[in-house]
């Protein structure tokens, strides 16, 4: 089945630790995205990538880092510099990253800082 | 600022009836794309319907249709013959032509009463 997978589904982190969220897609999409969702708010863009080895900051990139070494994978690292990392994180992909493309979403990862 | 506003935090409807969810947006751009996404309890975002701003005809997908009023910057979603499986959070979103970032509203929680 083609789709986007995210792991783990639930993640717990102690303060001061870095954690990495996985996102993999087998849709052969060029573009991938990371969004953060907080209660009562819509999704906000953290980072996006339209091509391997290239990515751009979104609206709330501070405290996060990404890499895009393979077309299929776009991991997100939540660093200790992120002041309020508890949230639901959604990964998405689209065919080329053009604004005309529909973005398809993974099932998400719930991150909780203890 | 380019924003999306969903003024109804919660809505409820009887099964088999029709419900309309409101969305307004603020932009000076003329070329853009609008989307409604559904987020069921599983929390995976699912595309419901999309509309190109240059098209005058309102988009429809089975029981889902939109009322796109470009001059009023309004993009409402009508769900006909509501089903229990329609219960979810619904997010309105849009993207400017040439941009990669989806801008989301805060969401409307839809409850279907049997």
């Amino acid at each position: 089945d083609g789709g986007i997978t995210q792991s783990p589904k639930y993640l717990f982190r102690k303060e001061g630790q870095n954690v990495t969220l996985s996102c993999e897609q087998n849709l052969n999409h060029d573009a991938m995205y990371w969004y953060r969702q907080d209660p009562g708010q819509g999704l906000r863009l953290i980072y996006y990538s339209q091509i391997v080895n290239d990515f751009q900051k979104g609206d709330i990139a501070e405290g996060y880092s990404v890499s895009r070494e393979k077309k299929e994978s776009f991991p997100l690292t939540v660093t200790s510099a992120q002041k309020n990392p508890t949230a639901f994180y959604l990964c998405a992909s689209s065919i080329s990253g053009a604004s005309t493309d529909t973005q398809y979403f993974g099932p998400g990862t719930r991150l909780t800082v203890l | 600022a380019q924003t999306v506003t969903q003024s109804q935090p919660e809505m409820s409807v009887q099964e088999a009836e029709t419900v309309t969810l409101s969305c307004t947006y603020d932009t000076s751009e003329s070329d853009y794309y609008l989307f409604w996404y559904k987020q069921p309890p599983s929390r995976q975002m699912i595309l419901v319907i999309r509309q190109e701003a240059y098209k005058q005809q309102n988009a429809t997908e089975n029981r889902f249709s939109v009322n796109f009023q470009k001059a009023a910057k309004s993009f409402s979603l009508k769900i006909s013959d509501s089903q229990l499986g329609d219960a979810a959070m619904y997010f309105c979103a849009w993207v400017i032509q040439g941009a990669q970032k989806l801008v989301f509203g805060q969401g409307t929680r839809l409850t279907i009463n049997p």
Side-chain angles (χ1 to χ4, degrees):
Chain A
D1 287 338
I4 303 171
T5 57
Q6 291 185 241
S7 61
K9 187 173 182 179
Y10 299 98
L11 185 57
F12 298 89
R13 188 195 94 175
K14 294 181 180 179
E15 284 195 29
Q17 287 182 336
N18 293 354
V19 289
T20 298
L21 284 59
S22 170
C23 177
E24 304 274 335
Q25 54 96 2
N26 62 3
L27 300 169
N28 200 32
H29 285 176
D30 284 328
M32 298 186 74
Y33 311 79
W34 274 106
Y35 290 90
R36 169 179 171 143
Q37 185 178 25
D38 293 286
Q41 296 189 38
L43 280 65
R44 292 180 292 168
L45 183 65
I46 305 172
Y47 268 98
Y48 66 97
S49 167
Q50 291 182 279
I51 195 170
V52 173
N53 292 324
D54 188 44
F55 46 83
Q56 285 76 42
K57 293 181 179 180
D59 294 327
I60 55 167
E62 184 176 353
Y64 300 97
S65 66
V66 294
S67 62
R68 188 86 187 278
E69 298 177 1
K70 298 187 300 181
K71 185 176 183 178
E72 303 80 15
S73 178
F74 191 41
L76 173 74
T77 297
V78 185
T79 75
S80 56
Q82 169 50 235
K83 298 191 186 321
N84 185 20
T86 294
F88 188 64
Y89 291 87
L90 285 155
C91 178
S93 71
S94 67
I95 292 175
S96 68
S99 50
T100 54
D101 292 343
T102 294
Q103 293 185 23
Y104 297 91
F105 287 81
T109 293
R110 174 71 184 178
L111 172 63
T112 302
V113 174
L114 303 174
Chain B
Q2 311 203 58
T3 59
V4 177
T5 302
Q6 294 179 248
S7 59
Q8 306 151 315
E10 297 184 359
M11 293 279 287
S12 64
V13 65
Q14 290 296 123
E15 191 177 4
E17 293 189 348
T18 295
V19 63
T20 298
L21 308 183
S22 301
C23 174
T24 58
Y25 55 94
D26 183 21
T27 182
S28 57
E29 301 288 336
S30 60
D31 200 4
Y32 47 87
Y33 305 87
L34 297 154
F35 305 84
W36 277 98
Y37 279 90
K38 168 185 176 180
Q39 188 178 41
S42 68
R43 303 203 70 176
Q44 181 156 7
M45 299 286 281
I46 302 166
L47 178 69
V48 175
I49 200 166
R50 61 175 280 162
Q51 172 83 42
E52 289 80 4
Y54 63 83
K55 289 187 177 178
Q56 293 185 341
Q57 186 173 5
N58 289 324
T60 62
E61 285 288 344
N62 301 315
R63 297 182 295 106
F64 298 88
S65 61
V66 300
N67 183 7
F68 174 48
Q69 301 288 332
K70 191 171 184 179
K73 298 179 183 176
S74 171
F75 181 59
S76 60
L77 175 70
K78 185 172 82 171
I79 306 174
S80 304
D81 186 25
S82 299
Q83 300 176 0
L84 295 178
D86 295 333
M89 284 289 288
Y90 286 81
F91 291 92
C92 177
W94 71 291
V95 62
I96 303 169
Q97 171 65 33
Q100 291 74 38
K101 184 179 73 173
L102 274 173
V103 178
F104 284 85
Q106 302 92 330
T108 295
R109 181 175 302 280
L110 178 64
T111 302
I112 311 295
N113 300 313

